[in-house]
Amino acid sequence: MTSSTAADHGIALTERVIAAVEADPQRLVLDYDRFVGPWVEGEAEPVPGEVLDGAVFPSGRPLPPSLRRWLAYDSSLLRRSGWFRPAEESVRSWEFAPLPLGELAVVALGEGWGAPFGALSERFDECFLLPGGSDSRRVLATGEPDAYGEYPVFALDVDDLPCIELMYPGLDVYLADTAGVIGRSGNGYSALAGDPRYSRRMLTQARRYLAGELHELCLDWPE
C-alpha cells in the first residue's frame, strides 16, 4: 500500500470521485442493493453556488470540503438518503435534515435494533445516513473536523450486539471507497486504520469520538 499524497484526501480526492462518476453516472452506487439506485438519477442536480456559499449544518458546524464539492456537482444521491427536508416541509430550499444518532438508527434499523444507539445521541447529535450495508448502516456524524475539515463516517452494526465502529475518517474517503476510486485491503469496518494513507486520520477521529478505540458496543437497552 502506498503512502499518503494530497490526492488521497479532501477536495482532491472528491474530484477524483466526481471524475469517475461522470464517466458512468448511471452506474449503481451499490452493486448488491439496487434500491439505492445510480450515482446520479437523470441529470445531475447541483446545489446553486449562492446557496452553498453560506451553507452550514443546523448546528452551525461548517460543511466538510468534500460535501461542499460533491453538492456543487450533484445533490440527488444525498437527497435520496434523506439529507434534506422534503420541499413541502421546508421553508427554505436545500434545508438539511439531520437526526441524533439514536433517532437515525431507529429509522434505519427499526425500533428494536436501533433503540440501543439512543445512549449515544448526546455525543452524536447531528447525523446523516449514507448508502451502504445490509445488516449495518453508514452514518456521517458532525462534530470536530479533522485536519482536512472532514467528519467521520461510522458503521452501525447489529449482526451480533449493537456496535458503532469507525469506518472512514471523512466523507471524502467514503465516497472514494464506495465509487471504487481507492483500493482497500484488509477485513473489517475499520480496516483503513491500518492503511498508511488514512491511519493518522482514522486514529485522530477515534480519539475524538470513541475515546481512542475504533469501535464501541451499545449495550444500553431501553426498558
Side-chain angles (χ1 to χ4, degrees):
M1 189 68 68
T2 60
S3 59
S4 176
T5 69
D8 295 319
H9 306 277
I11 292 179
L13 182 57
T14 310
E15 293 285 4
R16 293 170 60 193
V17 177
I18 291 171
V21 171
E22 284 182 322
D24 186 9
Q26 301 308 305
R27 174 167 58 102
L28 293 177
V29 177
L30 304 171
D31 293 336
Y32 59 85
D33 190 348
R34 295 182 175 274
F35 291 104
V36 173
W39 281 92
V40 177
E41 279 190 331
E43 297 294 325
E45 300 176 13
V47 176
E50 62 271 19
V51 175
L52 277 177
D53 285 345
V56 295
F57 289 124
S59 63
R61 295 166 183 146
L63 272 57
S66 61
L67 176 61
R68 195 175 294 276
R69 179 63 188 95
W70 181 260
L71 291 177
Y73 166 61
D74 179 62
S75 63
S76 63
L77 174 64
L78 299 184
R79 185 175 293 282
R80 281 179 275 142
S81 298
W83 280 53
F84 303 101
R85 298 192 187 283
E88 61 271 18
E89 297 180 7
S90 178
V91 296
R92 301 188 306 275
S93 297
W94 317 106
E95 185 176 3
F96 287 108
L99 289 171
L101 183 62
E103 294 182 33
L104 189 63
V106 168
V107 171
L109 300 167
E111 181 69 37
W113 285 114
F117 294 95
L120 302 178
S121 287
E122 184 175 354
R123 194 189 323 168
F124 301 104
D125 61 350
E126 188 175 56
C127 299
F128 297 88
L129 190 65
L130 288 162
S134 51
D135 55 4
S136 63
R137 294 294 184 271
R138 312 290 179 256
V139 172
L140 180 139
T142 74
E144 184 180 357
D146 70 5
Y148 292 89
E150 299 288 330
Y151 305 113
V153 173
F154 297 95
L156 307 185
D157 185 84
V158 294
D159 187 45
D160 188 6
L161 293 173
C163 173
I164 182 171
E165 186 163 348
L166 179 63
M167 191 167 184
Y168 300 102
L171 182 68
D172 54 340
V173 186
Y174 162 84
L175 290 171
D177 185 36
T178 306
V181 169
I182 59 172
R184 189 168 187 259
S185 62
N187 297 318
Y189 296 124
S190 55
L192 288 178
D195 188 313
R197 297 169 298 178
Y198 302 112
S199 58
R200 180 174 296 181
R201 290 180 63 188
M202 289 285 285
L203 295 177
T204 295
Q205 301 291 40
R207 287 194 297 270
R208 288 177 174 171
Y209 293 90
L210 296 175
E213 301 294 331
L214 292 170
H215 72 278
E216 182 174 327
L217 292 176
C218 303
L219 302 178
D220 189 6
W221 291 85
E223 297 295 334

